[in-house]
Amino acid sequence: MAESGSKSIQSPDNGGAGQPTADTPRKPRVPLFNVDGDLAGQLSVMTTEYEDTFAGIGNRVSLGYLELVKANPGVDPWLPGDGTTITLPRKYIMPDGPREGIVINLAEYRLYYFTDGGVEVYPVGVGTEDNPSPVTDAQVTMSLKSPAWYPPKSIRAEYEAMGEYLPRMIPPGPDNPLGNYALMLSAEGYLIHGTNKQFGVGMQVSHGCFRMYNEDIGWLAYEVSKGTPVRVIREPVKIGMRGNEVWLEVHRPEEIYTTEDREELWQTVSRKIDALRERLPGLQVKRSAIENAVELADGLPRMVGEQPPQLAAESATPDRSTPNGPGIPQQLWF
């Protein structure tokens, strides 16, 4: 659990992406996906064994606890049972904005790492409501191995209020909440780091920093260079195109889905659909598919409409006089 306002030291100093060592993962645990339009990845399934839990599965295959819960309604996350088929949610609509460096979407507890070959997507733990992670544009300033943790006064005060003692410095080792690797950011006091508590990756758990599984940050610490942009956003609704297809991805904030959350997400979806219609005249969307995506809010991309091929071709040449002008009504499938 890395904390907003924390300081850390590194050993040894590699100043950025460095030379791999014996404990460096040889390859990422997550797939490298090509980006097709605004989509990447694919859904897959696995069969659980008797002692499996979602927390353990997530740690094993690099998925977050909440994304597994939301993608598998009706399955007990603590005892899914032997022989249960569960969905592994590795299909994504890309976040809005530049596809470069690192993008962290707080609303879906995911980190996107864009490379020349595509995108890798990792689960991250983020700040709680009381200690939220910042929405910001930053850069990687340093890669840290075996960081020590210097908890800020605010966190030491929390421990003191609970009758617990927290030293001013926690050295590298199994008790260090930063894990074995970290990326220091230009947003002062914030890190992307490992953990000594595997549960919590993919949830709201930290004092503002970004918690990853140790194997994942161990890979990124040697892949990500100093100066890599890091963009932190909060985007619970994503809409994208793949060819002529319209895709929608909706994320509820927690396991429990309140009426207020549902209404807020519906308003956000409506605004984004309207904006897409303005940009793509003649767009056809299916109302029932949109309602279903909002009702479930499970983070799984769904096709909710299309732009007819002829209109898509015409909209690419706006200087032509075409039938898809302002007077053409938008269409809904019911």
Side-chain angles (χ1 to χ4, degrees):
M1 178 172 60
E3 319 305 341
S4 174
S6 63
K7 297 188 296 182
S8 59
I9 61 174
Q10 61 179 5
S11 174
D13 183 356
N14 64 357
Q19 295 299 317
T21 59
D23 62 342
T24 305
R26 295 184 179 181
K27 61 180 182 179
R29 295 197 304 159
V30 302
L32 175 65
F33 289 120
N34 292 323
V35 181
D36 182 6
D38 296 321
L39 267 72
Q42 60 186 13
L43 300 180
S44 61
V45 297
M46 68 167 287
T47 302
T48 61
E49 298 180 357
Y50 177 72
E51 295 183 352
D52 278 335
T53 66
F54 280 9
I57 292 169
N59 186 17
R60 195 162 69 238
V61 302
S62 191
L63 286 168
Y65 173 77
L66 279 179
E67 63 180 330
L68 284 169
V69 169
K70 291 187 290 186
N72 294 278
V75 179
D76 185 343
W78 296 109
L79 192 62
D82 188 41
T84 302
T85 300
I86 65 169
T87 297
L88 302 182
R90 292 197 193 276
K91 188 171 186 177
Y92 319 98
I93 296 176
M94 295 299 97
D96 287 339
R99 295 174 188 173
E100 59 179 355
I102 291 172
V103 178
I104 298 173
N105 188 359
L106 302 176
E108 56 180 316
Y109 310 106
R110 287 174 178 154
L111 180 153
Y112 293 79
Y113 175 48
F114 292 95
T115 72
D116 292 338
V119 63
E120 298 167 6
V121 186
Y122 297 90
V124 290
V126 304
T128 63
E129 291 185 5
D130 293 333
N131 298 281
S133 300
V135 174
T136 186
D137 290 325
Q139 292 183 337
V140 172
T141 59
M142 191 177 296
S143 175
L144 311 173
K145 181 182 179 184
S146 301
W149 182 44
Y150 292 80
K153 291 181 180 179
S154 59
I155 296 179
R156 296 206 310 272
E158 288 182 19
Y159 275 73
E160 185 176 347
M162 295 185 293
E164 301 179 22
Y165 171 71
L166 185 65
R168 292 180 178 271
M169 188 275 284
I170 297 179
D175 296 327
N176 190 312
L178 302 185
N180 293 331
Y181 293 92
L183 293 173
M184 184 177 290
L185 306 181
S186 58
E188 186 176 357
Y190 293 95
L191 305 170
I192 303 171
H193 64 85
T195 179
N196 65 340
K197 297 178 180 178
Q198 300 293 348
F199 184 71
V201 174
M203 301 175 65
Q204 284 185 296
V205 289
S206 78
H207 281 72
C209 288
F210 308 100
R211 178 189 298 183
M212 298 184 70
Y213 293 120
N214 290 322
E215 296 89 343
D216 296 338
I217 186 61
W219 168 259
L220 285 182
Y222 283 95
E223 285 294 303
V224 175
S225 302
K226 179 180 179 181
T228 296
V230 177
R231 190 162 56 93
V232 184
I233 63 174
R234 187 182 300 278
E235 190 177 18
V237 174
K238 298 185 295 180
I239 294 179
M241 301 291 295
R242 185 177 65 182
N244 298 329
E245 302 168 351
V246 183
W247 287 77
L248 174 64
E249 182 179 321
V250 183
H251 293 265
R252 64 181 185 267
E254 299 289 347
E255 283 187 65
I256 299 175
Y257 194 18
T258 67
T259 301
E260 292 77 11
D261 290 335
R262 185 178 285 102
E263 178 61 28
E264 184 175 344
L265 286 172
W266 177 255
Q267 295 298 327
T268 302
V269 168
S270 297
R271 289 194 299 270
K272 290 209 168 192
I273 289 289
D274 288 344
L276 187 63
R277 284 172 170 170
E278 280 192 35
R279 185 165 64 88
L280 300 175
L283 191 74
Q284 299 177 351
V285 293
K286 190 174 182 180
R287 176 66 179 261
S288 60
I290 295 172
E291 290 177 341
N292 185 53
V294 176
E295 181 64 27
L296 296 175
D298 54 11
L300 300 181
R302 288 174 168 80
M303 183 181 167
V304 297
E306 66 176 358
Q307 186 182 27
Q310 184 177 358
L311 292 177
E314 290 169 346
S315 65
T317 54
D319 292 338
R320 292 175 55 192
S321 176
T322 67
N324 63 329
I328 298 298
Q330 308 300 334
Q331 299 186 46
L332 295 174
W333 303 338
F334 287 95

